[in-house]
Amino acid sequence: QFLPGHGSHPVKAMLAAQEWMFTRTDCEAIVSKVPVSNKAAKGFAIAGGLRTVFERDESLQPEQRHDQESVQK
């Protein structure tokens, strides 16, 4: 987990991890789920080269509901 205020280090770490996965494994896609309301997480995903694939409303149990957005590289 990276906390706010760490500059570009978290994005560089994400990009390095992606390169490692794609060049040293059979990985063809990286998929993540980001709560729509978490703007910081979405910004981090986009900065790391991920893009929105789809959005799904009410994807969890009623007491845990958050709109979810799947992003992938």
Side-chain angles (χ1 to χ4, degrees):
Q1 177 178 357
F2 294 102
L3 299 174
H6 284 79
S8 63
H9 173 71
V11 174
K12 289 178 183 176
M14 177 197 272
L15 294 172
Q18 290 175 16
E19 179 184 355
W20 192 93
M21 286 296 297
F22 289 127
T23 60
R24 293 177 175 86
T25 73
D26 292 337
C27 179
E28 294 181 8
I30 297 173
V31 179
S32 181
K33 294 179 183 164
V34 178
V36 172
S37 62
N38 190 336
K39 303 298 182 195
K42 183 173 182 180
F44 179 64
I46 291 170
L50 303 177
R51 62 181 174 82
T52 299
V53 177
F54 68 89
E55 292 184 27
R56 183 172 72 182
D57 296 338
E58 301 179 0
S59 58
L60 302 173
Q61 299 299 319
E63 66 276 1
Q64 299 175 320
R65 283 198 173 137
H66 301 286
D67 291 341
Q68 298 286 314
E69 182 173 32
S70 289
V71 291
Q72 79 176 28
K73 174 105 175 163

